[in-house]
Amino acid sequence: MNIVIIGSGNVATQLGKAFQQAGHTILQVYSRTQANAIALASLLHTDPVHDLRLLNEQADLYLLAVSDQAIAEVATQLPQNIQGIVVHSSGATDISILRRFSAYGVIYPPQSINKQIEVSLQQVPFGIEGNNSAVAKKLLHLIQDISTKPFSCTSEQRLALHTAAVFANNFTNALFDISYQILKDHALPFDLLKPIIAQTAENVQHHTPASVQTGPAKRKDQQTMNKHLQFLSEKPRWIKIYQQLSEEIASKDVP
């Protein structure tokens, strides 16, 4: 496919590199910041654009790899004569936001992607949605070139996946940071927790999360929990998090 990338951030960079390595042609890279357009275009050996009116209108695919808040604005500014498929990569944005185009869809990876960190997308799932079956088929075929795990989903399913990913990734990382701060404040290295973090991640590869849940809340060990809460007495936000998560754990029964 001939592809135009609209955006220059993490997703734009990694998908651009992956598509190019798979044999697809990146015709242009657009960013409203000229320096960013030039930087990614240089990496992909293609042409930079910082004016949407100058987009190549003959591409097969237009990838809107911009922030969720910018998708609607950028979509309304794209040339009217585009005949290729216009897609965004957001987990929380409905496909209908692109309905002004004749062919449109979504390619969403539920993965934390950073342009500074080399990543193989082969094992990354991609939720695929098209405005009709023909578009969906083309997008599935495209993503099969860079990933072994594309799957069809609706906008509602994609929103569910995105919400679940926030719990599984963003929230757990925030909890890691709290753990880091607790240890740092008591002259202990975060490395001490890396084995248990790795073991927890490994456990859920083979078991349901509820079936491998452990800890004082699971055991209804109120004495230990009270000690923890007293220990956190100077951190009211952390106390609230501890209590709410403990209540959630205690409410669960192993299936």
Side-chain angles (χ1 to χ4, degrees), residues 8 13 29 31 33-45 48 115:
S8 58
T13 299
V29 170
S31 175
T33 303
Q34 186 175 14
N36 292 344
I38 291 172
L40 182 52
S42 177
L43 179 66
L44 298 176
H45 308 290
K115 65 182 177 181

Side-chain angles (χ1 to χ4, degrees), residues 51-65:
D51 186 338
L52 287 171
R53 294 172 297 180
L54 300 178
L55 287 188
N56 187 318
E57 297 180 7
Q58 306 304 313
D60 301 306
L61 183 81
Y62 296 83
L63 170 62
L64 275 66

Side-chain angles (χ1 to χ4, degrees), residues 170 229 239:
N170 305 131
L229 292 170
I239 287 176

Side-chain angles (χ1 to χ4, degrees), residues 22-183:
H24 298 282
T25 300
I26 309 301
L27 295 179
Q28 294 173 317
V29 170
Y30 163 83
S31 175
R32 61 185 176 183
T33 303
Q34 186 175 14
N36 292 344
I38 291 172
L40 182 52
S42 177
L43 179 66
L44 298 176
H45 308 290
T46 191
D47 295 328
V49 179
H50 65 283
D51 186 338
L52 287 171
R53 294 172 297 180
L54 300 178
L55 287 188
N56 187 318
E57 297 180 7
Q58 306 304 313
D60 301 306
L61 183 81
Y62 296 83
L63 170 62
L64 275 66
V66 297
S67 69
D68 288 16
Q69 296 81 2
I71 292 174
E73 179 184 355
V74 173
T76 59
Q77 295 176 12
L78 294 180
Q80 290 284 351
N81 297 326
I82 284 179
Q83 298 300 312
I85 304 172
V86 181
V87 302
H88 69 66
S89 58
S90 166
T93 305
D94 197 277
I95 189 176
S96 63
I97 203 168
L98 302 176
R99 62 182 177 274
R100 69 183 287 255
F101 304 103
S102 59
Y104 57 94
V106 183
I107 52 175
Y108 164 60
Q111 180 78 10
S112 182
I113 294 177
N114 189 313
K115 65 182 177 181
Q116 304 297 338
I117 301 174
E118 288 298 323
V119 60
S120 171
L121 299 179
Q122 282 295 314
Q123 298 303 312
V124 173
F126 278 82
I128 306 300
E129 187 176 6
N131 67 304
N132 58 50
S133 59
V135 170
K137 184 176 180 180
K138 288 180 181 179
L139 294 177
L140 281 167
H141 183 73
L142 169 67
I143 296 303
Q144 284 172 349
D145 289 341
I146 65 171
S147 170
T148 61
K149 297 185 176 181
F151 64 97
S152 298
C153 67
T154 65
S155 286
E156 183 176 4
Q157 288 174 321
R158 183 161 35 83
L159 179 58
L161 179 58
H162 188 263
T163 305
V166 168
F167 274 92
N169 180 52
N170 305 131
F171 289 170
T172 54
N173 194 65
L175 295 177
F176 293 156
D177 186 57
I178 291 174
S179 299
Y180 177 90
Q181 294 299 328
I182 290 171
L183 294 177

